[in-house]
Amino acid sequence: MRTVKVPLGNRSYDIKIGSGQLSRLGDGCARLKLGERCAIITDTNVGRRYAKPAYNSLLKAGFNPCLVTVPAGETAKSLRSVQACYDRLAAHRLERKSFIVALGGGVVGDPAGFVAATYLRGIHFVQVPTTLLAHVDSSVGGKVGVNLSAGKNLVGAFYQPRLVLCDLNVLDTLPPREFRAGIAEVIKYGIIYDADLFARLERDLPKLLQRETKTMTEVIARCCQIKADVVGQDETESGLRAILNFGHTVGHALEAISSYNRFLHGEAISIGQIVAAKLSHTLSDLSAKDLGRIVDLFQRAGLPTTAQLTPRQRVKLIAAMRLDKKVSDGEIKFVLARRIGKVGWGQRVSLASIHKTLANIARDRS
Ligand SMILES: NC(=O)c1ccc[n+]([C@@H]2O[C@H](COP(=O)([O-])OP(=O)(O)OC[C@H]3O[C@@H](n4cnc5c(N)ncnc54)[C@H](O)[C@@H]3O)[C@@H](O)[C@H]2O)c1
Ligand SMILES: [Zn+2]
């Protein structure tokens, strides 16, 4: 078992990574001295498999849980499901010391965290992520929220969990496409922060794809450590934290123009990172060799590196990017790589360069 600490003063918390964490949920919450009433928020796929062990673990530790199940899928990350959760919390009479357990991937953790941030002006919450993407990214760092039809994550808050429990066993049932989508965020950490991690991924990708326990534990712990370092220095994204958005400006726009149902988040940001890497080569210092290594690793992971967009879709994509929160004063700001392991943020990129790169990747064949 590995523990990573997110250093945020009196709001610091632990991320515990290992096999069997789910059964320790009740004990973990008891140690935090949380109130008796609580709610597990999960989705239909995850609930079917893991709600019972989570529920029983809480019960055994003396808590009084209720179970709230939202539909699975990105479209459920909405104000409508948040409203449904509030109603259930009120019916179960959750109070100020009560807490929420977010049991699922990012599509559960983001809105469940938002519910926790806003219900009674804030109650505690614990993350039990069940996808690779949520283990390495969405469950850590306190960004919570929902989508609007106009764009991703347009409503939300910064609100930190009290504890994150990453149980490797639950990843056994994650469909291969979802697992690969999580690898897109793992590769991101290598590009933005850690050349050694990137080199390890080049070496150990087959072991990771086979979900070998030792490799998964070490890689997930490293990603969480990087996220903890970044969030510890810049919790509310006034600077450094922006590096975590590498590939996300284009990625989020791709998700929005395809109504959140063509690409998984990880797939969209895989394409987004390829666009960002190509822009980094033309506009910043990224060498052709590093660009080639980046494209190669995404391809080997079975992630998309091209998008066949029509000129009309490209125009829609640019319009969606303008709505993204990373756009200010009509300028599109990008995180660009200088080399593998080092990026700069806030770099202004012209619409013409973006158009050109999008047209180029539409022609590439992977
Ligand atoms: N808050 C953040 O900092 C942050 C960071 C990155 C991504 N995100 C958000 O996370 C979301 C994507 O999350 P995700 O990729 O975890 O997707 P997800 O939550 O939709 O999960 C993927 C699918 O797998 C199913 N599933 C989850 N765990 C399972 C398991 N163990 N076994 C079988 N099936 C399982 C789910 O029901 C769903 O159908 C996006 O909305 C993205 O914007 C947030
Ligand atoms: Zn992401």
Side-chain angles (χ1 to χ4, degrees), residues 212-249:
E212 200 214 68
T213 307
K214 182 169 176 280
T215 307
M216 274 206 305
T217 310
E218 289 171 5
V219 167
I220 292 171
R222 181 62 192 138
C223 293
C224 288
Q225 185 64 61
I226 294 171
K227 183 137 187 194
D229 278 2
V230 171
V231 170
Q233 291 175 63
D234 176 24
E235 184 183 4
T236 54
E237 202 171 314
S238 48
L240 178 71
R241 187 170 178 161
I243 68 172
L244 298 170
N245 298 326
F246 181 74
H248 280 59
T249 306

Side-chain angles (χ1 to χ4, degrees), residues 46-347:
V46 179
R48 191 153 38 87
R49 295 176 170 94
Y50 303 112
K52 207 163 166 194
Y55 191 93
N56 288 343
S57 175
L58 288 166
L59 215 55
K60 216 172 122 204
F63 293 105
N64 174 2
C66 72
L67 183 65
V68 182
T69 307
V70 298
E74 187 76 40
T75 43
K77 196 172 132 180
S78 66
L79 286 171
R80 182 188 295 220
S81 64
V82 164
Q83 168 77 58
C85 291
Y86 290 145
D87 291 342
R88 291 293 311 282
L89 303 195
H92 193 59
R93 302 202 320 276
L94 262 69
E95 51 204 25
R96 285 306 297 273
K97 288 201 77 186
S98 303
F99 64 102
I100 287 172
V101 174
L103 174 68
V107 161
V108 167
D110 283 12
F114 184 71
V115 169
T118 47
Y119 188 73
L120 301 180
R121 298 197 178 82
I123 61 175
H124 301 293
F125 92 112
V126 170
Q127 290 270 21
V128 185
T130 64
T131 63
L132 177 60
L133 182 136
H135 276 206
V136 297
D137 196 358
S138 63
S139 69
V140 177
K143 274 195 182 178
V144 297
V146 295
N147 303 327
L148 299 181
S149 51
K152 284 272 295 185
N153 304 331
L154 288 181
V155 174
F158 288 101
Y159 194 68
Q160 302 294 339
R162 298 291 312 276
L163 174 69
V164 181
L165 296 179
C166 299
D167 188 338
L168 298 183
N169 295 349
V170 304
L171 297 182
D172 285 348
T173 55
L174 192 65
R177 184 178 169 200
E178 296 290 350
F179 193 82
R180 283 195 297 271
I183 292 182
E185 302 277 12
V186 172
I187 296 174
K188 181 188 79 179
Y189 288 112
I191 299 172
I192 63 172
Y193 209 78
D194 187 349
D196 289 344
L197 172 65
F198 192 92
R200 180 182 188 168
L201 293 172
E202 290 180 307
R203 202 173 58 241
D204 287 346
L205 186 68
K207 288 186 194 161
L208 188 60
L209 288 168
Q210 281 161 18
R211 310 187 195 188
E212 200 214 68
T213 307
K214 182 169 176 280
T215 307
M216 274 206 305
T217 310
E218 289 171 5
V219 167
I220 292 171
R222 181 62 192 138
C223 293
C224 288
Q225 185 64 61
I226 294 171
K227 183 137 187 194
D229 278 2
V230 171
V231 170
Q233 291 175 63
D234 176 24
E235 184 183 4
T236 54
E237 202 171 314
S238 48
L240 178 71
R241 187 170 178 161
I243 68 172
L244 298 170
N245 298 326
F246 181 74
H248 280 59
T249 306
V250 168
H252 282 165
L254 268 176
E255 287 181 88
I257 67 160
S258 52
S259 311
Y260 305 110
N261 57 24
R262 176 170 161 204
F263 300 105
L264 299 179
H265 175 72
E267 293 168 347
I269 61 137
S270 169
I271 297 165
Q273 287 181 81
I274 297 297
V275 173
K278 293 201 171 197
L279 287 167
S280 305
H281 177 55
T282 23
L283 305 175
S284 184
D285 303 330
L286 191 73
S287 67
K289 181 163 174 254
D290 276 3
L291 172 60
R293 287 175 68 196
I294 290 170
V295 175
D296 190 50
L297 191 55
F298 280 106
Q299 284 177 348
R300 283 177 57 210
L303 287 159
T305 54
T306 65
Q308 308 302 319
L309 300 176
T310 62
R312 207 162 142 251
Q313 284 170 321
R314 287 206 291 277
V315 171
K316 270 178 83 180
L317 191 84
I318 301 272
M321 270 189 249
R322 281 177 182 276
L323 251 180
D324 195 90
K325 300 178 302 305
K326 284 136 229 145
V327 176
S328 54
D329 301 331
E331 283 169 345
I332 302 203
K333 289 194 181 139
F334 265 74
V335 180
L336 296 180
R338 302 208 176 105
R339 59 175 189 273
I340 289 172
K342 181 90 192 133
V343 290
W345 67 91
Q347 276 150 292

